[in-house]
Amino acid sequence: MSTTETDLIEPPAAPRVEVLPPRDVPLGGPRAMTVRRTLPQRSRSLIGAWCFVDHYGPDDVAHTGGMDVAPHPHTGLQTVSWLFTGEIEHRDSLGVHAFVRPGEVNLMSSGHGIAHSEVSTPATTTLHGVQLWVALPEEHRHTGRNFHHHAPTPVALAGGEARVFLGTLAGDTSPVPTFTPLLGAELTLRPHATVTLAVDPAFEHGLLVDCGEVRLADTPLHAADLGYLAPGSTAITLTNTGDTDARTILLGGTPFEEQIVMWWNFIGRSHEDITRAREEWMSSANPDRFGEVQGYPGDRLPAPELPGIPLKPRGNVR
């Protein structure tokens, strides 16, 4: 028996996956609904510019009351709303009155300041989806308010399907603009299917499992887990190990090198940024900062009290 030199070359090891488990968080003030939050966490603040991942449902609206989030402010970020089932009515101080529906993305840019409300519609019986935030880079965080809607066409995969709502994947590109390179897509996998997707090696990625049992680069992920992959991979492989369809959300982006201060619904760069935004929301001293939401039948949400110690910037350790 002989051994050639090439026989001794081992295949590349699968990339390391960091598993971020969810935690339950009440959302929406006095009529709170519970969501599962996987970002930010103590060990990881961002994936690309993605800084916030909430996953909710499936909720029986007759039992839970659904979503009713009164007008509230945002600064320094973009909100990305994506539903699996149900319908949410969106109103904002830009004057947009729109609906979030399954398979259709709504992206709202707060810039220097915006306010909006989110309410599940009377026709909704089951509410199920994700709410995501993107941090705006310093050069764009005071940009004007904006709103975009897009219904991506499903892309067939060998073993599943993709809907690309931000960025480029599987030959499809979303027209929705972002201020940093980003990826956002819903991926469904048929039972026992394995799908390998080419990705940008400059991106870090996060895979949120909505339902099913999925392996990401040989690491098992359970429902509501978020698996993280560092930059460097030119492809990622997903396997549905179960007997039913699995559904996931794939997020990605170039590492966000800035540190941010994120508190309540505000993103800034310092404690003073947050203090100023809170004061202007509560006092209406600068009514143009956030504007007014028309059509919501109730009062707007008050901001909570700031903590007794200064808020500190945070970012990922590189």
Side-chain angles (χ1 to χ4, degrees), residues 62-73:
H63 175 70
T64 65
M67 180 182 292
D68 188 348
V69 185
H72 57 282

Side-chain angles (χ1 to χ4, degrees), residues 130-146:
V130 292
Q131 182 65 51
L132 313 165
W133 290 2
V134 175
L136 293 176
E138 175 63 29
E139 63 179 317
H140 296 296
R141 71 185 178 97
H142 297 299
T143 190
R145 306 165 188 157
N146 214 327

Side-chain angles (χ1 to χ4, degrees), residues 143-161:
T143 190
R145 306 165 188 157
N146 214 327
F147 184 90
H148 294 273
H149 171 87
H150 174 56
T153 301
V155 177
L157 306 173
E161 183 180 85

Side-chain angles (χ1 to χ4, degrees), residues 64-129:
T64 65
M67 180 182 292
D68 188 348
V69 185
H72 57 282
H74 288 293
T75 63
L77 58 86
Q78 293 177 299
T79 63
V80 180
S81 302
W82 184 262
L83 279 178
F84 305 126
T85 57
E87 183 181 63
I88 295 172
E89 185 175 23
H90 164 101
R91 298 177 185 269
D92 66 37
S93 54
L94 188 64
V96 174
H97 179 209
F99 292 88
V100 187
R101 297 187 175 101
E104 303 177 8
V105 67
N106 282 3
L107 181 146
M108 182 185 74
S109 298
S110 72
H112 188 56
I114 199 169
H116 73 138
S117 62
E118 301 159 286
V119 180
S120 51
T121 62
T124 298
T125 56
T126 302
L127 192 61
H128 188 187

Side-chain angles (χ1 to χ4, degrees), residues 152-282:
T153 301
V155 177
L157 306 173
E161 183 180 85
R163 295 175 187 265
V164 183
F165 52 84
L166 288 183
T168 298
L169 186 73
D172 190 36
T173 298
S174 167
V176 178
T178 60
F179 292 94
T180 57
L182 288 176
L183 169 65
E186 177 186 306
L187 304 175
T188 55
L189 303 176
R190 292 194 287 273
H192 305 289
T194 294
V195 172
T196 298
L197 295 164
V199 295
D200 189 332
F203 280 25
E204 51 188 355
H205 292 88
L207 185 76
L208 175 70
V209 178
D210 171 55
C211 59
E213 299 292 323
V214 175
R215 296 184 72 88
L216 170 62
D218 291 335
T219 298
L221 299 175
H222 306 294
D225 281 346
L226 179 65
Y228 169 80
L229 280 173
S233 297
T234 58
I236 59 173
T237 298
L238 314 178
T239 300
N240 178 4
T241 60
D243 296 328
T244 59
D245 286 353
R247 181 165 53 203
T248 68
I249 295 290
L250 179 64
L251 305 175
T254 53
F256 194 80
E257 301 295 348
E258 301 174 28
Q259 289 199 323
I260 63 174
V261 178
M262 185 164 69
W263 178 84
W264 194 44
N265 299 313
F266 304 132
I267 291 181
R269 295 299 183 274
S270 67
H271 180 86
E272 290 70 27
D273 283 346
I274 303 301
T275 299
R276 186 178 308 112
R278 183 190 182 280
E279 288 175 350
E280 291 182 345
W281 172 252
M282 292 297 290

